Amino acid sequence: MSSHDSPTAPPPVTNELDLESAEAVRAFCGLCLDPGPGRVRRTPRHFVEIMPPWLGRAVAERAPHLRDHVRRIAAQRAEIEQVEAAMAAEQTVFAEALRAWIAGKPQSVPAKSAAVGDGAA
C-alpha cells in the first residue's frame, strides 16, 4: 500500500485548479481577496478590476445571478481593446507626420482614422 492509498494520506499536490463547483469558485475568489497572513488583501472592487477572463467565466458559470455583470465587463474590455488599437495606429501615423514636420520634409496629409474621428470640435 503506497502513501497515496492510505486513508489518512493527503491527496497528491497538483498545479490544476479545481473550479468545478460553485463552492470551489467561491472559495478561490475568497482566497484571492484574502490570501492569508503576510499577503496583500484586496477589496472586491480591486479584485474585479484584475480578475482574469477565465475566472470571470467560471464565476458566470457557477453564479448565474452574476452572468450579466461578467458579460458586460467582457464586452466593455473588448471595446477598450479596439479603441486602444485604433489609438495606437493613429499615434503611429501622427508620430511619422511629426517626424517629417520636425525634419522640414514635405508632407502629405495622412488619411483620417475612421475609428478616431476627424478631430473637429
Side-chain angles (χ1 to χ4, degrees), residues 28-87:
F28 182 72
C29 288
L31 186 61
C32 290
L33 289 174
D34 186 2
R39 309 282 305 268
V40 177
R41 295 181 72 174
R42 296 179 180 93
T43 64
R45 170 64 189 238
H46 181 240
F47 178 47
V48 167
E49 290 174 3
I50 64 169
M51 182 183 288
W54 60 265
L55 184 53
R57 287 189 299 272
V59 168
E61 289 174 17
R62 305 296 181 258
H65 65 289
L66 299 176
R67 283 183 186 149
D68 286 342
H69 297 292
V70 172
R71 287 180 184 147
R72 283 192 298 267
I73 289 170
Q76 291 165 347
R77 282 186 179 143
E79 288 176 24
I80 288 169
E81 289 172 4
Q82 289 176 345
V83 169
E84 287 176 340
M87 184 175 68

Side-chain angles (χ1 to χ4, degrees), residues 83 86-87 90 93 110-121:
V83 169
M87 184 175 68
E90 193 65 37
V93 171
K112 296 175 187 170
S113 171
V116 177
D118 63 9

Side-chain angles (χ1 to χ4, degrees), residues 97-108:
L98 181 61
R99 181 190 56 76
W101 179 73
I102 291 170
K105 304 223 173 167
Q107 51 189 318
S108 62

